[in-house]
Amino acid sequence: MVNSITGLISNIQRYSLHDGPGIRTTVFMMGCPLRCAWCSNPEALSIEKQLMIFDQKCTLCGECLIVEPEAISLDGGLRVDRALIKDIESLAHCCPYDVFEIIGNEMTVDELVDECMKDEPFYRNSGGGVTFCGGDPIVQADFLVEVTKSLKNRGIHVTLDTSGGLPWDQWDKLASAVDLILYDLKLHDEKRHIEYTQAGNSLIFENLDHLAKLGKEIIVRMILVPGVSDDPKDIELRCKRLRQSKANVSLIELLPYHTLGKGKYTRLGMPYPLGRNNEKDKVNVEEIIQIIESIGFKVYYRSP
Amino acid sequence: MQRNLLTDITLNDVARLRIDRLRMNMLHAKASLCSQRALLYTESFKQTENEPYIVRKAKAFAHTLDHMPIFIEEDSLIFGNMASKNFAAPIYPEYSMDWLVDEIDTFSLRKGDVFEVDEKVKADLLSISDFWLGNTHKDEVGRNLTDEIRLASKTGALHLGGISMSGDGHIVPDYPSLLSRGFRWYIDEAKRKLEQNFNDQQRYFYQAIIISLEAALRWIKRYGELAKQISLEKSGQRKVELQNMSKMAMTLMEQPASGFMECVQATYLVHILQLIESNGHSFCFGRFDQYAYPYYIKDIKHGKMNESYALEIITHFFLMANSTNKIRPNGHTKFSQGYPMYSNLMIGGLTPQGKDATNSLSYLCIDAMNLTALKEPNFSMRYHKDTPLELLELAAKLIRTGTGMPALFNDAVAIRGLMDLGIPMEDARDYCAIGCVETGVAGKYGHRATGMTYCNWGKLMELLVNNGVDPKTNIQLISINGQKGNEIAYKNYKELWQGWKKILKYYTDLAVESDAICDRSLIKYDASPLASCFIQDAFELGKTLKEGGCKYDIISQSNIGPAVVGNSLYSIKKLVFDEGKLSFTQLKEAINDNWQGIESAKIHKMIRHLPKFGNDIDEVDEIVAHVFQSYLDLLPFYKTQRSGKGPTISRYTMSTSNITSYVPNGLEVGATPDGRFAYQPLNEGCSPTQGTDTHGPTAVLKSVSKLPNHQVAAGQLLNMRFTPSSLSKDEDLSKFIDLLKTSIELNIYHNQFNIVDTKTLREAQKNPHLYTDLLVRVAGYCAQFVSLMPEAQEAIIARSEHGQ
């Protein structure tokens, strides 16, 4: 039987090295319950297809004026009023120079599984597998449960990289099906969590308790955004809460903040939410590592 | 800056400092010309006018060895120079002279591969040119070339390469035998042969061997005298070294090599002697860790030497290999840029009995290469499923330093390929690289594992689209539909494919014919008694290699652009025949327009969005595989010049080793149906076309795994690029090793890796379409550099700099 459920995928990255053990294929799923100010994949936030505009490729040939006369002006360079675009797909189709690119590829379960299976020899030799990330894959949990079942039947290790920001009953089956969970803990202070992710964190911590009951192996990830999420006190509280949950945490990974995704905001017509460029501000990694270790967790800092 | 050792061996400061000095000497030596050999050869040739050519060559060789200036490099434990200065290129007037005269004022003005020429050298060369002009190998080839071959060269479809004007090279002496015998053994045996019943030609060969090797022994003794003299002015450690060097040189190769130092010294000297005898390139060292090991382990066991000293000797040997140089005409230089000598040295792999051959020298060689990090020797490693992880790790660490070495060869594929040619298993297991990725059996292969005539498949694709007419010159040597002119209408893919096969066969026939023309001339002009007598069974048969003296005579041409051809055929198949989205005429117009006008750009977009080789997409990968097969199918019908004259196997095979020819070949070719713009490079080796592989390294490996790799038995070239930061952490390195292990399983013949620097990243920003295979570590994963936004690119460039 052909499995007709489809998922919306922003990108598939083969030879991924840092999203779980071994050589992996990382599947970037679209849709996310959070809006983190430092997000480096803004194209995957929405569950809708997105339009990226590469204006440097524009030759002002005028082909797009035929399909989108209202939305586009070429006087003094390419100007696009996104609100007036009637159909992003036909716009992307009309441009000979690929100025307009659609993000979001609909794939069936079988198509995605086939794509993931292409690197099976590499997974086998490296202890690798497939990682779902995004966005947040739990937004498309039903689709991924099917994909995971199929991958597991083929002996593939599956990792879920999630913010945990949706009610447990929406993704419990997915959590049960995968082998490993990468779980983001961004801030303990709920006010600040709302300020920086536009969502509260109580659900995220509650879901930790569910995961603990499941006994599933978890690698907790904390991104160190200078002045935002690198406060040692907050990290200490996160770790203590983590301890309290009795979740099966094998490692805490500290990830440095980077601005590599900044350009994508421009191409998507979105403002970059973190106003100040605090990328270069110093983070006291040593102290943070000490705190985490003192609470009894193994910690790894993935230096840039 | 000193490089850290990769093994746990230690070198004291004195040893480190002099390696650094020697290294800087080699690194900063300016390429120049040396007229000594040319003058001495001329002098000798003038006195031997009526003698057999091979004897004349031997006498000129001997005259040169007796009179050429020799020197011993300050600091070096290894001696032997091919010219009057380091990195000076000797001249070989017997092979070709005209281009030297024509280009002599421009060598110093080249954009790359510049050579300094002083006035004295200029005058020397001009003074002898009259004697040689008209009497060289190149002249002989020129007299025999057919009009068809000339016209094919004019269109850029064929390139006659080194064999039309140089010696052949591409050879690995039987080092185990020659080290265990010494030169004297060959001289004595040759004298015995002269007492037996051989014909004149064979007697000349034996005479030439005696003349050449006697001279070689005298030449080595000259170094002995020189070392003694220099030692008088020195004190301390260097004095003792020079005294030992002198003592060794006075008897070296009069008898078998007696220890590791003699083994390495003799290996290097044979290399230099070959380079003085003939101006081919790719004179290689073969499986050095195998044949040098008995000498090494004996000295270690007897306490004559420790590992550190062995490492020092190997490092000096590797450094000295960089003192050699070769000049080529400007047109030929474009095909092989960067002063290459291609002196391959190989480690690792299986023994002839099928066991893992790794030994302590394998590890020492990696560290010696790490210490030298220069272009010679061209360092390669064989590996297989039982290669120790430690060796793979050490190799990966060396690759990570950015040397691009070692190149890695997959035993399973290479051995199977050689056995399919008829080579017995034990010999096949003893293969090594000869030059770049060409493989053969050391001491048993004659000249030229590959690189006979070059055939530009990009041009053949252009001819296919134009009914055999070359758009640049309007030359039409063959018509596909039987009509003159470039009009052609293919009705279906089958017709197109038949057209390809017709064009390919026509030009391959021509290339084989031009191979034969060059080969026949080389029988005389490249008669090399020294190189020949160290290859089985030349000595027994009494024949030079070119006469048929070698055991295995397996040669190949160089075909450039299979991915361009495969992607092009696929584009036409898909858009014109399968989907009917455009007519062949529309496509042709867009090609002629180089995709510039708006309608052409729309067609270009359609092609851009089609699958391309290198992304693990079966339907296009299969067509590239068919393209390989179309050439392989032709090969059994071609014969070499030596077929039936001595070798136990004589035949053609295939190689995608094509050095830098994909760049100048691209310059000859207009836009192609794969979306490639006019005059852009063709794809390199069996690697995907630059700019078309967008799915990362595993996808590239998977695509290449679908090619008939083992049938490309003279070597399949795959080049992959990674950034230093994608390998800098040990956890990433171990995943890189997993990638290599998977390559074994995927039937990948050969991998080589470029670990690139900021300069290249900047270039990639300027010309992104040429760099899509460039991988960088972004955050948690590796991505194509050019797929990143400019800001992200800047951030990564900044990060790489931090690491330096």
Side-chain angles (χ1 to χ4, degrees):
Chain A
M1 194 193 79
V2 179
N3 202 326
S4 60
I5 319 177
T6 61
L8 193 64
I9 288 139
S10 70
N11 189 19
I12 297 176
Q13 186 73 48
R14 292 164 76 169
Y15 197 60
S16 273
L17 303 180
H18 301 140
D19 298 316
I23 295 172
R24 309 191 74 80
T25 294
T26 299
V27 182
F28 293 82
M29 304 299 299
M30 295 184 72
C32 187
L34 270 52
R35 290 292 179 272
C36 304
W38 51 81
C39 180
S40 59
N41 293 324
E43 74 281 14
L45 291 173
S46 163
I47 186 73
E48 304 278 313
K49 288 187 179 181
Q50 298 292 305
L51 179 69
M52 275 214 191
I53 303 176
F54 294 78
D55 44 11
Q56 281 167 325
K57 293 186 190 172
C58 181
T59 65
L60 303 174
C61 72
E63 288 289 312
C64 53
L65 292 177
I66 301 166
V67 294
E68 294 284 355
E70 271 123 62
I72 292 176
S73 139
L74 295 177
D75 298 334
L78 173 70
R79 274 179 301 162
V80 185
D81 187 339
R82 286 174 176 265
L84 296 178
I85 296 175
K86 292 193 291 276
D87 176 18
I88 55 172
E89 306 241 13
S90 59
L91 178 58
H93 183 72
C94 82
C95 174
Y97 304 100
D98 288 331
V99 170
F100 307 101
E101 191 183 306
I102 302 287
I103 304 293
N105 186 16
E106 257 175 83
M107 290 178 93
T108 66
V109 171
D110 292 342
E111 282 169 346
L112 181 56
V113 169
D114 285 350
E115 192 60 31
C116 291
M117 285 309 290
K118 284 183 168 178
D119 272 354
E120 186 277 334
F122 297 94
Y123 310 152
R124 185 163 25 82
N125 281 303
S126 68
V130 173
T131 298
F132 303 124
C133 109
D136 190 334
I138 59 176
V139 173
Q140 302 190 58
D142 293 346
F143 169 73
L144 289 181
V145 167
E146 298 303 313
V147 176
T148 305
K149 273 188 206 159
S150 181
L151 286 172
K152 291 309 301 171
N153 282 339
R154 291 165 167 82
I156 305 296
H157 180 277
V158 179
T159 297
L160 170 67
D161 177 5
T162 179
S163 72
L166 285 179
W168 180 241
D169 61 3
Q170 289 183 24
W171 60 285
D172 57 341
K173 288 193 193 74
L174 180 59
S176 311
V178 301
D179 299 284
L180 170 69
I181 294 175
L182 308 178
Y183 203 74
D184 287 1
L185 287 184
K186 296 160 202 300
L187 281 162
H188 186 269
D189 182 327
E190 181 147 34
K191 245 178 77 187
R192 285 171 66 77
H193 199 278
I194 294 168
E195 183 186 347
Y196 284 104
T197 72
Q198 297 180 38
N201 61 9
S202 47
L203 194 54
I204 292 169
F205 284 109
E206 267 170 41
N207 284 336
L208 257 183
D209 299 329
H210 290 296
L211 285 172
K213 271 185 218 133
L214 210 57
K216 190 73 61 182
E217 184 191 348
I218 300 172
I219 292 176
V220 169
R221 290 175 148 191
M222 298 183 184
I223 180 164
L224 303 176
V225 183
V228 177
S229 64
D230 65 335
D231 175 18
K233 194 71 211 158
D234 190 274
I235 289 171
E236 187 178 354
L237 290 169
R238 269 180 258 170
C239 290
K240 284 187 170 156
R241 177 67 180 81
L242 199 55
R243 196 46 46 241
Q244 200 187 357
S245 76
K246 300 204 171 67
N248 175 15
V249 177
S250 60
L251 179 71
I252 294 182
E253 251 185 338
L254 299 173
L255 309 176
Y257 167 61
H258 65 80
T259 55
L260 302 179
K262 222 171 170 176
K264 294 188 206 168
Y265 285 86
T266 320
R267 266 89 191 159
L268 291 162
M270 292 160 66
Y272 187 65
L274 263 192
R276 202 167 64 84
N277 182 3
N278 38 12
E279 186 188 18
K280 294 201 171 74
D281 289 5
K282 189 132 179 63
V283 174
N284 197 340
V285 180
E286 307 292 305
E287 188 190 346
I288 293 168
I289 289 175
Q290 246 177 22
I291 290 169
I292 297 173
E293 282 177 340
S294 74
I295 297 171
F297 290 111
K298 217 176 117 190
V299 60
Y300 176 72
Y301 174 59
R302 193 174 291 288
S303 60
Chain B
M1 201 202 71
Q2 283 200 343
R3 292 165 71 94
N4 294 323
L5 285 161
L6 299 174
T7 58
D8 51 12
I9 298 169
T10 52
L11 284 182
N12 65 35
D13 286 350
V14 177
R16 287 304 297 264
L17 284 172
R18 77 169 173 183
I19 285 171
D20 289 344
R21 284 197 302 270
L22 198 51
R23 181 172 184 273
M24 293 318 270
N25 261 351
M26 295 302 165
L27 198 59
H28 296 307
K30 287 250 163 59
S32 61
L33 288 196
C34 168
S35 56
Q36 284 301 319
R37 182 193 181 280
L39 292 176
L40 291 164
Y41 261 64
T42 311
E43 219 168 74
S44 173
F45 261 73
K46 282 181 177 166
Q47 290 162 11
T48 57
E49 212 120 335
N50 294 317
E51 299 181 44
Y53 201 83
I54 188 169
V55 174
R56 296 182 77 184
K57 283 206 73 165
K59 284 186 174 173
F61 177 62
H63 186 61
T64 302
L65 294 181
D66 287 339
H67 297 97
M68 65 181 276
I70 60 163
F71 60 93
I72 295 168
E73 188 66 27
E74 182 90 41
D75 287 318
S76 181
L77 290 168
I78 303 293
F79 63 84
N81 55 296
M82 75 182 283
S84 48
K85 270 193 282 189
N86 284 330
F87 215 42
I91 299 301
Y92 306 76
E94 69 274 31
Y95 292 94
S96 53
M97 193 69 207
D98 56 345
W99 61 273
L100 272 159
V101 177
D102 293 344
E103 298 180 23
I104 199 150
D105 291 321
T106 60
F107 291 137
S108 59
L109 306 172
R110 289 177 172 181
K111 283 184 194 150
D113 287 55
V114 176
F115 283 82
E116 290 180 347
V117 190
D118 70 36
E119 291 304 318
K120 165 83 171 58
V121 169
K122 226 180 253 187
D124 285 347
L125 294 177
L126 293 176
S127 76
I128 59 165
S129 63
D130 279 351
F131 180 79
W132 295 102
L133 287 174
N135 299 311
T136 68
H137 165 56
K138 190 181 173 202
D139 295 303
E140 175 65 14
V141 169
R143 281 189 284 273
N144 293 302
L145 283 183
T146 64
D147 286 345
E148 270 176 311
I149 294 172
R150 274 182 220 285
L151 290 170
S153 305
K154 203 172 163 194
T155 63
L158 296 186
H159 172 73
L160 264 55
I163 54 168
S164 65
M165 63 184 85
S166 291
D168 231 342
H170 292 85
I171 198 174
V172 191
D174 179 6
Y175 275 115
S177 299
L178 78 89
L179 289 168
S180 68
R181 289 168 173 168
F183 295 171
R184 183 59 63 195
W185 182 91
Y186 293 88
I187 295 170
D188 292 344
E189 280 299 306
K191 284 179 183 163
R192 262 191 283 279
K193 296 276 185 199
L194 282 176
E195 289 160 15
Q196 294 167 22
N197 194 17
F198 282 102
N199 68 29
D200 282 354
Q201 198 54 35
Q202 289 168 313
R203 298 177 66 80
Y204 300 147
F205 176 52
Y206 289 121
Q207 282 167 15
I209 290 174
I210 296 166
I211 295 167
S212 301
L213 291 184
E214 287 283 14
L217 287 168
R218 289 196 300 276
W219 176 71
I220 299 174
K221 290 184 181 68
R222 288 179 66 200
Y223 285 99
E225 295 292 346
L226 181 61
K228 192 170 154 193
Q229 265 175 43
I230 304 173
S231 75
L232 300 176
E233 303 149 20
K234 300 282 176 184
S235 59
Q237 186 192 340
R238 187 63 181 158
K239 188 183 188 75
V240 178
E241 277 171 7
L242 285 162
Q243 284 168 342
N244 291 340
M245 189 187 280
S246 171
K247 205 173 145 211
M248 174 177 74
M250 296 320 281
T251 64
L252 187 63
M253 288 292 99
E254 287 285 356
Q255 69 283 313
S258 74
F260 187 65
M261 178 60 108
E262 284 204 5
C263 157
V264 176
Q265 181 65 66
T267 300
Y268 178 67
L269 290 177
V270 167
H271 181 63
I272 296 294
L273 285 164
Q274 289 178 312
L275 287 171
I276 294 170
E277 186 179 43
S278 156
N279 72 341
H281 57 70
S282 303
F283 288 97
C284 297
F285 298 109
R287 304 187 72 184
F288 176 77
D289 63 339
Q290 301 306 300
Y291 62 78
Y293 187 72
Y295 301 94
Y296 166 83
I297 199 65
K298 201 173 129 205
D299 281 5
I300 293 276
K301 276 190 182 150
H302 293 165
K304 285 189 181 163
M305 173 181 80
N306 60 21
E307 280 188 323
S308 302
Y309 191 57
L311 175 61
E312 210 181 343
I313 293 172
I314 300 169
T315 307
H316 285 220
F317 160 44
F318 284 10
L319 287 168
M320 290 299 287
N322 290 279
S323 70
T324 62
N325 205 353
K326 168 176 167 114
I327 187 163
R328 304 166 172 89
N330 198 32
H332 188 197
T333 295
K334 286 185 202 152
F335 283 71
S336 85
Q337 294 168 32
Y339 304 109
M341 298 300 282
Y342 311 107
S343 56
N344 211 306
L345 184 143
M346 194 142 210
I347 61 164
L350 291 167
T351 64
Q353 293 71 39
K355 299 235 161 58
D356 175 55
T358 309
N359 60 40
S360 14
L361 274 183
S362 322
Y363 293 89
L364 288 182
C365 286
I366 293 182
D367 231 346
M369 200 64 219
N370 167 53
L371 283 171
T372 59
L374 296 177
K375 68 181 184 63
E376 308 294 337
N378 186 8
F379 189 54
S380 307
M381 182 171 125
R382 291 172 45 170
Y383 73 125
H384 55 93
K385 64 179 177 39
D386 296 323
T387 295
L389 185 61
E390 296 77 23
L391 190 73
L392 266 182
E393 272 173 3
L394 207 66
K397 282 180 181 169
L398 178 58
I399 288 169
R400 173 164 73 178
T401 66
T403 58
M405 294 194 251
L408 294 165
F409 289 72
N410 179 359
D411 274 3
V413 183
I415 291 169
R416 183 179 162 204
L418 296 178
M419 285 176 64
D420 278 3
L421 294 173
I423 293 175
M425 186 193 279
E426 291 203 353
D427 277 353
R429 281 177 177 156
D430 208 21
Y431 82 93
C432 64
I434 307 175
C436 304
V437 302
E438 307 91 297
T439 41
V441 184
K444 292 176 183 170
Y445 257 52
H447 291 296
R448 267 308 149 177
T450 193
M452 303 289 288
T453 303
Y454 288 64
C455 189
N456 181 343
W457 283 7
K459 176 59 78 181
L460 300 197
M461 177 40 70
E462 203 177 16
L463 295 175
L464 179 65
V465 172
N466 289 291
N467 194 32
V469 177
D470 172 39
K472 197 182 64 173
T473 60
N474 276 322
I475 292 171
Q476 184 176 27
L477 291 172
I478 179 179
S479 159
I480 291 164
N481 61 9
Q483 309 291 315
K484 278 195 174 168
N486 64 3
E487 290 299 319
I488 177 113
Y490 294 106
K491 285 197 210 72
N492 50 41
Y493 183 67
K494 201 178 157 198
E495 270 192 26
L496 181 73
W497 179 248
Q498 291 306 327
W500 162 255
K501 291 215 297 194
K502 189 170 177 182
I503 287 266
L504 179 69
K505 179 169 187 326
Y506 176 81
Y507 280 94
T508 308
D509 285 353
L510 271 192
V512 170
E513 193 184 343
S514 86
D515 290 346
I517 291 166
C518 296
D519 247 352
R520 282 196 291 269
S521 174
L522 284 169
I523 294 175
K524 174 178 174 186
Y525 290 94
D526 202 27
S528 306
L530 178 121
S532 294
C533 79
F534 296 141
I535 298 290
Q536 300 175 28
D537 299 313
F539 196 87
E540 292 307 315
L541 294 171
K543 286 181 173 181
T544 66
L545 300 177
K546 281 289 162 189
E547 289 169 335
C550 64
K551 195 172 172 95
Y552 305 132
D553 170 39
I554 295 165
I555 59 174
S556 63
Q557 307 174 322
S558 193
N559 304 296
I560 302 101
V564 167
V565 174
N567 287 339
S568 292
L569 290 171
Y570 178 77
S571 300
I572 303 170
K573 178 178 187 292
K574 197 80 180 166
L575 295 177
V576 178
F577 301 125
D578 292 356
E579 295 177 356
K581 283 190 176 158
L582 62 154
S583 70
F584 187 70
T585 313
Q586 282 174 306
L587 175 63
K588 206 164 148 177
E589 278 165 10
I591 289 170
N592 292 340
D593 190 27
N594 196 21
W595 320 109
Q596 294 306 307
I598 190 81
E599 291 311 313
S600 305
K602 284 181 190 169
I603 293 173
H604 194 253
K605 177 176 178 164
M606 288 183 206
I607 293 172
R608 220 164 42 233
H609 288 253
L610 285 179
K612 299 282 186 300
F613 177 72
N615 297 296
D616 194 9
I617 299 167
D618 287 347
E619 50 181 324
V620 60
D621 294 346
E622 274 165 13
I623 290 190
V624 177
H626 291 162
V627 171
F628 272 82
Q629 200 59 52
S630 65
Y631 179 75
L632 289 166
D633 289 346
L634 297 173
L635 297 181
F637 301 100
Y638 297 126
K639 280 198 157 58
T640 82
Q641 283 303 295
R642 295 155 294 276
S643 186
K645 295 178 185 165
T648 59
I649 302 171
S650 256
R651 60 191 291 180
Y652 268 91
T653 183
M654 183 177 186
S655 164
T656 43
S657 159
N658 52 207
I659 47 183
T660 53
S661 58
Y662 63 102
V663 180
N665 266 324
L667 288 173
E668 304 275 3
V669 183
T672 36
D674 57 339
R676 181 187 141 278
F677 286 91
Y679 321 124
Q680 293 298 305
L682 304 176
N683 75 285
E684 183 200 23
C686 77
S687 316
T689 311
Q690 299 81 340
T692 61
D693 54 318
T694 56
H695 287 58
T698 55
V700 171
L701 291 170
K702 285 285 300 294
S703 281
V704 173
S705 78
K706 297 169 203 169
L707 302 177
N709 293 315
H710 78 278
Q711 292 184 66
V712 188
Q716 175 83 303
L717 179 120
L718 173 61
N719 212 328
M720 295 172 80
R721 277 198 283 246
F722 287 75
T723 59
S725 59
S726 69
L727 295 174
S728 60
K729 295 200 176 115
D730 285 346
E731 54 166 331
D732 298 337
L733 196 76
S734 87
K735 290 177 189 181
F736 177 70
I737 291 166
D738 295 334
L739 184 87
L740 298 179
K741 286 191 203 153
T742 314
S743 294
I744 296 183
E745 191 181 315
L746 290 178
N747 263 356
I748 301 299
Y749 196 111
H750 153 276
N751 285 31
Q752 66 187 33
F753 301 93
N754 282 311
I755 311 298
V756 289
D757 56 12
T758 301
K759 196 175 143 226
T760 310
L761 296 174
R762 288 284 178 216
E763 282 298 318
Q765 286 183 310
K766 281 186 218 154
N767 298 301
H769 59 291
L770 298 179
Y771 288 90
T772 43
D773 56 341
L774 176 58
L775 272 195
V776 289
R777 227 194 82 195
V778 182
Y781 62 93
C782 289
Q784 273 176 281
F785 179 75
V786 298
S787 71
L788 302 170
M789 305 294 166
E791 301 83 350
Q793 293 179 346
E794 287 301 326
I796 284 166
I797 289 171
R799 194 167 61 195
S800 293
E801 289 289 351
H802 287 309
Q804 286 172 5

